[in-house]
Amino acid sequence: MNQEIPNPQLQLAFDFVEQTNTNLFLTGKAGTGKTTFLRNLKIISPKRMIVVAPTGVAAINAGGVTIHSFFQMHFGPHIPEQTSQQHNYSPGDSQKSAFDRSQRFNREKINIMKSLDLLVIDEISMVRADLLDAIDEVLRRFKDRYKPFGGVQLLMIGDLQQLAPVAKDEEWELLRPYYDTIFFFGSRALQKTHFTTIELKHIYRQSDDVFIRLLNKVRENNIDNQSLEDLNKRYIPGFNPGNDEGYITLTTHNYQSQAINEKKLKELQNSKHIFTAEVEGEFPEYSYPTDFELILKVGAQVMFVKNDISRDKLFYNGKIGKITMIDDDVIFVKCDGDYDVIPVIPAEWTNNKYTINEETKEITETPVGSFKQYPLKLAWAITIHKSQGLTFEKAIIDANAAFAHGQVYVALSRCKTFEGMVLSSPIAQVSIKSDTSVKGFSTEAELNQPGEQELTASRIAYQQTLLLELLDFSVIQRRFYQCQKLIKENASVLLPALAESFMAMHNALTTELIGVSDKFKPQIGQFLSTDPMIEGYEALQERIKKASAYFAEKTDQNICKVLQNLDIETDNKAIRKVLKESFENLYQEAFVKTACFKACMSGFTVKNYLAAKAIAAIEKIQLKPEAKPKANFVAGGKTDSGLLQEIKNWRASMAEEEDLPIYMVLPQKTMYDLVEMLPVTMKELKEIKGFGKKKVMKYGPELIGIIRNYLKVSHLDKIEADLSEPDTELPDEYLIERPKHVKGQTQQLSFEMFKQGKTIAEIAAERSLSGTTIETHLARYVASGELDIAQFVTPEKLELITAYFLEAGSASLTEAKTALGEDVSYGEIRMVLGHMNQSKSELPPKYML
């Protein structure tokens, strides 16, 4: 690490980022190596990070993405009172919030945020306080909603004395009631955190102590008359350098630099060459590093806008030169002080997005677009704003019209030497603009620079925080209570077994997990009082290994496995969806917790803990939407899962036939009441909630018949007296042991009406029965041979359906219908089953009539 970052301050900054969770503001004068630090950090750091910046060009230069694109923010002001509502995230708020827009986030971006350790914000001086609070809201939504920025560590890089955030007057009027300053340190969320500032002192860009002293006075708005006089010694009235001298003019406004470049280019007598960029995929125009249509001439002064990535390192971003020749696809540029010309060919910039590597589960940068163009732009002039981060050997500075905080300092500090700087107009005291809130913040930060002692304390606090987080079940407990509350509120449409399962889970959670954890934490405290550094404490590590093995098993067994096997059986789709989402949230927390414990079974380290937590957080979690029937309901001391399934099959069949939702045929709760109460007469059926007069008449005969048959086959002793004499309203074809040649009155009536030439639909309408009931009646006469199967089913379908049941053996009507497809109706299946009754030796016992 020391080879990569030799500067002690840079090393301290790196250690704070790597070994703690402290939010860090890395600042320093222009040329102190902030950009180099970020470049090295991206290569070295094992933390899962993304890099964002406030502008497109800054994002491309930092190798990241813009804040607005990643977090999908609007460009208007973010009003905290209207959008957060103390982080309840109400979608009905009048002002669209960051959370509202997060609905458009794809799953991959959500996973990135869920697994994020470190958020790097480059050029933080240009980030407004309200934008930082908007970031806080989104991260809370997808990480930990109870911690600022969701618990993600922030690394903010920039210089507050350089370019400031932009807020129009009308925007600041909206924000003024909520913020004392528009600068990032005014963020409400940031003020709730402990963040430290490290200021880099060593300047690499300039080596002249006198010039550095002058720059510092401008930076701090502390310039005296003598210093201003010294600075204005570089004012040279009417300075007009030759084209070969390589000066670039820095202007305050874009139109000024554009006019200078166009005028200078027009003065050249050589023919112009137009080079059009190649843009592929996603690469927004505001991020173009140079002109899409680059117009150049031999003799034009140009600036390189990219570092040479080859081994020769012939040019760097900001290097000035002159075009000596344009030959086919090569532009030759001669730079002052270089012996050889530089052959320039098109370079490529990529616009990246962050993705999750499916194999390693790491956050990776994936190119989504490219911009290919010669890495040059006209450079007789450039705006001060666009010069930020660049270094010039020779520059003419026109800062008399400076209008923003830090603008003069940025312009002056671009110059490598005092002698290489020329002022086109004197610098006036009024042009050096500074913000009093920035000065106060910077002064306080200067007085509270951290050192090794603070680093050690932060390391200890970080390790202990993570260990206590590992042993903390409060988030799981909150998720559990949310689930339990939903179950209680919707008990009328849910199985009692669901509440019973959660009661058992509650007992295990409070005793085997929370209870044991509460006893273990004081033991941890005793160890830490001896040696507070966890990672190297062997005795403590042994206790952590054993505890992790215990908690991993108990969390998985008592929560994860229970949730995997829970049924959400209800006809209310909305309730099922809400419950499923709530269960999955609980499962997600328990799954992550289990993964963290498993990672610590070989000892606790920050690196392994964070990696396990991040990978588990992005695992695809989906519990089964609706469980398979289980033996959950008991009636008369006997398990009635078979009867439950038979009624469910009947309900599905009826819903299919009548083209109705299943709950319109028989509500979920009513269906389970049938299994629980086992009505065998019309009178008993009418007592069950959900059965009105019409429904009793329409479905009663079939349901009572199903229940009576089930009780006879199962030999259940449910009120023998009720079964001794048939219900006068019950069709006798539902009785298994009916006397031979005796047909029930209702069945006989259907048969006679059919023989009279009436269709099944007509009979059902006239008798106020379902078509399914009439088909069941007639199937009996097909079974007895009194009706010909050919009247109902074609020979081809007869063969198809018969073959299916002979091969499948025992299968429900619903399974048969699914297997046979849309061309076969439930009625045809029933008729074939009736026909197969004529040869009972071939028919599975389930279908014997």
Side-chain angles (χ1 to χ4, degrees):
M1 185 62 231
N2 287 324
Q3 294 177 350
E4 296 289 344
I5 303 178
N7 185 298
Q9 291 170 313
L10 290 172
Q11 182 66 50
L12 181 65
F14 180 84
D15 290 341
F16 260 101
V17 171
E18 286 304 292
Q19 300 173 18
T20 80
N21 196 38
T22 301
N23 293 328
L24 178 66
F25 172 40
L26 181 66
T27 187
K29 304 174 181 68
T32 50
K34 298 185 293 294
T35 302
T36 303
F37 174 84
L38 174 56
R39 192 178 301 121
N40 288 333
L41 182 71
K42 290 177 67 177
I43 297 171
I44 300 169
S45 175
K47 283 193 174 182
R48 302 169 69 92
M49 74 170 75
I50 63 169
V51 180
V52 296
T55 68
V57 174
I60 294 294
N61 290 338
V65 298
T66 66
I67 293 171
H68 290 86
S69 65
F70 185 83
F71 290 104
Q72 297 174 200
M73 305 292 184
H74 60 72
F75 285 92
H78 173 88
I79 310 300
E81 187 175 81
Q82 290 179 315
T83 55
S84 68
Q85 296 296 326
Q86 296 182 334
H87 302 293
N88 287 331
Y89 305 107
S90 171
D93 291 334
S94 58
Q95 174 82 16
K96 285 289 182 183
S97 71
F99 170 64
D100 296 327
R101 292 186 298 282
S102 74
Q103 299 298 325
R104 299 197 302 269
F105 286 165
N106 60 39
R107 174 52 54 184
E108 185 162 54
K109 189 172 285 188
I110 291 172
N111 283 340
I112 289 171
M113 287 187 278
K114 279 185 173 181
S115 63
L116 195 61
D117 296 322
L118 175 67
L119 174 65
V120 181
I121 307 177
D122 198 20
E123 301 292 3
I124 189 66
S125 69
M126 295 161 57
V127 176
R128 293 191 335 199
D130 61 314
L131 183 58
L132 204 55
D133 282 341
I135 293 173
D136 165 67
E137 285 193 16
V138 177
L139 289 176
R140 281 180 187 261
R141 173 69 179 95
F142 296 112
K143 289 281 285 184
D144 187 337
R145 66 182 301 169
Y146 299 97
K147 294 180 181 177
F149 303 100
V152 173
Q153 183 183 18
L154 300 186
L155 169 60
M156 300 163 285
I157 302 176
D159 182 4
L160 281 169
Q161 304 296 348
Q162 297 191 40
L163 297 181
V166 176
K168 298 175 183 176
D169 290 342
E170 60 269 23
E171 292 177 334
W172 179 234
E173 285 303 313
L174 288 172
L175 295 171
R176 189 191 301 274
Y178 309 98
Y179 297 100
D180 295 328
T181 176
I182 199 65
F183 286 89
F184 80 92
F185 55 83
S187 157
R188 291 177 158 198
L190 189 64
Q191 290 173 0
K192 293 177 182 177
T193 73
H194 169 70
F195 73 97
T196 192
T197 300
I198 294 179
E199 183 178 356
L200 305 178
K201 302 287 188 180
H202 182 73
I203 298 175
Y204 296 93
R205 184 174 293 155
Q206 295 93 11
S207 56
D208 181 352
D209 289 339
V210 175
F211 187 30
I212 290 173
R213 179 181 60 80
L214 288 174
L215 289 176
N216 287 343
K217 285 184 174 291
V218 173
R219 181 177 187 269
E220 296 163 6
N221 194 20
N222 191 31
I223 194 162
D224 52 41
N225 291 334
Q226 182 59 52
S227 299
L228 198 60
E229 184 180 332
D230 292 342
L231 192 61
N232 282 322
K233 288 177 182 178
R234 295 306 302 160
Y235 167 54
I236 305 176
F239 182 74
N240 188 22
N243 290 334
D244 296 334
E245 294 187 55
Y247 277 89
I248 185 171
T249 299
L250 303 185
T251 67
T252 53
H253 293 77
N254 190 59
Y255 73 88
Q256 296 170 311
S257 61
Q258 190 173 344
I260 293 171
N261 285 329
E262 289 176 354
K263 179 177 179 293
K264 289 284 189 179
L265 187 67
K266 191 174 183 180
E267 289 174 355
L268 295 176
Q269 299 302 312
N270 299 315
S271 59
K272 65 181 180 181
H273 297 257
I274 301 175
F275 303 94
T276 304
E278 297 177 15
V279 180
E280 295 184 1
E282 301 174 26
F283 206 110
E285 189 173 344
Y286 62 76
S287 296
Y288 289 173
T290 187
D291 297 335
F292 176 79
E293 193 172 71
L294 190 60
I295 302 175
L296 302 173
K297 292 181 180 180
V298 172
Q301 181 166 295
V302 292
M303 177 178 72
F304 287 92
V305 291
K306 190 176 178 66
N307 294 328
D308 182 9
I309 60 174
S310 73
R311 185 171 54 185
D312 298 327
K313 302 289 186 289
L314 297 175
F315 54 85
Y316 56 84
N317 189 9
K319 187 171 186 176
I320 305 291
K322 188 174 74 171
I323 297 175
T324 59
M325 184 171 65
I326 299 175
D327 183 18
D328 293 331
D329 295 332
V330 182
I331 300 173
F332 294 90
V333 177
K334 177 70 169 63
C335 298
D336 188 29
D338 288 355
Y339 179 78
D340 294 321
V341 296
I342 301 172
V344 184
I345 59 174
E348 185 174 85
W349 290 260
T350 58
N351 180 34
N352 299 323
K353 75 171 183 177
Y354 289 101
T355 59
I356 298 288
N357 185 299
E358 286 300 322
E359 293 183 4
T360 65
K361 303 299 182 184
E362 293 293 322
I363 299 175
T364 58
E365 294 179 21
T366 303
V368 294
S370 64
F371 179 92
K372 192 173 184 181
Q373 178 62 287
Y374 290 89
L376 301 168
K377 69 189 313 179
L378 293 176
W380 285 288
I382 189 175
T383 63
I384 294 171
H385 186 277
K386 291 181 180 177
S387 74
Q388 186 158 344
L390 302 179
T391 303
F392 302 120
E393 299 284 346
K394 299 177 180 179
I396 301 169
I397 296 173
D398 180 12
N400 191 46
F403 59 90
H405 161 87
Q407 213 169 20
V408 171
Y409 173 68
V410 170
L412 298 179
S413 62
R414 300 308 96 196
C415 302
K416 195 169 184 179
T417 64
F418 187 64
E419 292 74 20
M421 176 183 71
V422 173
L423 303 178
S424 62
S425 57
I427 299 293
Q429 182 77 49
V430 71
S431 298
I432 303 174
K433 302 181 187 300
S434 181
D435 188 283
T436 54
S437 62
V438 169
K439 189 171 183 179
F441 173 81
S442 299
T443 301
E444 185 177 351
E446 174 72 23
L447 296 174
N448 292 283
Q449 290 281 300
E452 289 297 328
Q453 186 175 349
E454 288 79 11
L455 173 64
T456 300
S458 294
R459 285 181 61 196
I460 291 171
Y462 184 39
Q463 290 184 22
Q464 293 185 6
T465 297
L466 291 182
L467 180 57
L468 292 176
E469 177 185 274
L470 175 66
L471 298 169
D472 181 18
F473 289 89
S474 61
V475 177
I476 290 178
Q477 193 174 36
R478 282 197 298 269
R479 294 291 192 190
F480 172 84
Y481 286 140
Q482 289 169 2
C483 295
Q484 199 172 47
K485 182 172 180 284
L486 284 171
I487 293 171
K488 186 176 180 180
E489 290 173 347
N490 298 285
S492 62
V493 294
L494 296 173
L495 310 187
L498 198 58
E500 293 168 6
S501 296
F502 263 78
M503 183 55 68
M505 192 190 303
H506 176 266
N507 295 336
L509 176 62
T510 53
T511 57
E512 297 184 17
L513 293 174
I514 296 174
V516 176
S517 175
D518 287 344
K519 292 177 181 177
F520 183 55
K521 287 175 185 176
Q523 298 179 34
I524 296 290
Q526 292 175 3
F527 278 103
L528 294 178
S529 63
T530 303
D531 184 351
M533 196 70 76
I534 297 170
E535 288 191 351
Y537 195 169
E538 188 173 338
L540 175 57
Q541 289 286 358
E542 287 301 316
R543 294 290 295 128
I544 293 173
K545 290 177 187 178
K546 293 178 181 178
S548 296
Y550 169 84
F551 285 119
E553 179 188 359
K554 293 297 182 182
T555 307
D556 184 51
Q557 176 184 330
N558 294 324
I559 301 178
C560 293
K561 283 188 168 56
V562 172
L563 288 169
Q564 286 171 340
N565 292 291
L566 274 184
D567 298 338
I568 310 175
E569 288 198 76
T570 176
D571 293 333
N572 191 314
K573 292 182 180 179
I575 292 174
R576 184 188 303 126
K577 182 179 179 181
V578 171
L579 279 171
K580 180 173 178 288
E581 182 179 347
S582 186
F583 288 4
E584 285 178 351
N585 288 338
L586 173 58
Y587 182 84
Q588 174 79 57
E589 295 295 342
F591 179 80
V592 171
K593 184 69 73 175
T594 302
C596 291
F597 280 126
K598 287 180 178 178
C600 295
M601 286 168 62
S602 56
F604 175 88
T605 67
V606 170
K607 181 179 178 180
N608 290 344
Y609 174 79
L610 291 179
K613 184 180 178 182
I615 292 172
I618 61 176
E619 284 290 327
K620 293 180 181 178
I621 301 300
Q622 187 168 4
L623 300 175
K624 54 190 175 183
E626 192 168 2
K628 296 174 183 177
K630 282 182 165 39
N632 287 334
F633 277 77
V634 175
K638 303 288 184 177
T639 297
D640 288 332
S641 61
L643 176 58
L644 174 61
Q645 185 60 50
E646 194 167 348
I647 293 176
K648 288 180 75 174
N649 290 343
W650 173 86
R651 182 176 72 155
S653 172
M654 190 66 63
E656 178 82 16
E657 287 295 310
E658 299 186 354
D659 194 23
L660 292 171
I662 55 175
Y663 64 85
M664 292 287 287
V665 175
L666 203 63
Q668 180 91 10
K669 189 68 168 63
T670 303
M671 185 170 63
Y672 284 106
D673 284 346
L674 287 173
V675 178
E676 189 74 28
M677 299 172 69
L678 297 174
V680 292
T681 67
M682 290 293 197
K683 182 180 179 182
E684 289 180 351
L685 188 62
K686 290 175 183 176
E687 293 174 359
I688 292 179
K689 187 177 179 180
F691 274 98
K693 184 176 180 181
K694 288 185 178 180
K695 189 166 284 190
V696 168
M697 294 301 297
K698 188 174 183 180
Y699 300 136
E702 290 185 68
L703 287 170
I704 290 175
I706 290 171
I707 294 170
R708 284 191 168 215
N709 276 350
Y710 180 78
L711 292 173
K712 279 183 173 288
V713 171
S714 302
H715 305 294
L716 298 179
D717 55 354
K718 202 283 188 180
I719 314 176
E720 291 293 339
D722 287 343
L723 295 177
S724 60
E725 293 189 14
D727 189 333
T728 56
E729 298 178 75
L730 181 64
D732 60 357
E733 76 271 15
Y734 292 99
L735 299 178
I736 290 178
E737 297 179 359
R738 63 177 173 80
K740 290 183 180 181
H741 310 303
V742 177
K743 305 288 186 263
Q745 293 178 351
T746 185
Q747 176 187 2
Q748 183 69 33
L749 182 55
S750 296
F751 174 62
E752 290 174 357
M753 292 174 74
F754 183 79
K755 288 183 68 177
Q756 292 170 8
K758 297 186 184 223
T759 65
I760 291 174
E762 289 170 340
I763 299 170
E766 191 171 327
R767 300 196 59 199
S768 296
L769 295 173
S770 69
T772 302
T773 299
I774 305 304
E775 286 172 348
T776 305
H777 293 174
L778 299 181
R780 294 289 178 170
Y781 291 93
V782 173
S784 66
E786 295 173 72
L787 287 176
D788 188 355
I789 185 63
Q791 293 178 271
F792 305 96
V793 182
T794 65
E796 293 79 14
K797 288 187 179 179
L798 174 61
E799 183 179 353
L800 175 68
I801 298 169
T802 302
Y804 169 78
F805 279 107
L806 291 176
E807 181 179 347
S810 179
S812 69
L813 290 183
T814 304
E815 290 172 333
K817 179 69 173 66
T818 301
L820 293 168
E822 295 299 321
D823 291 338
V824 176
S825 70
Y826 279 100
E828 288 171 328
I829 295 173
R830 290 191 182 92
M831 294 303 174
V832 172
L833 284 173
H835 176 70
M836 292 175 71
N837 264 269
Q838 295 182 67
S839 178
K840 291 183 170 50
S841 60
E842 298 179 3
L843 185 66
K846 178 176 179 178
Y847 300 105
M848 292 289 190
L849 302 178

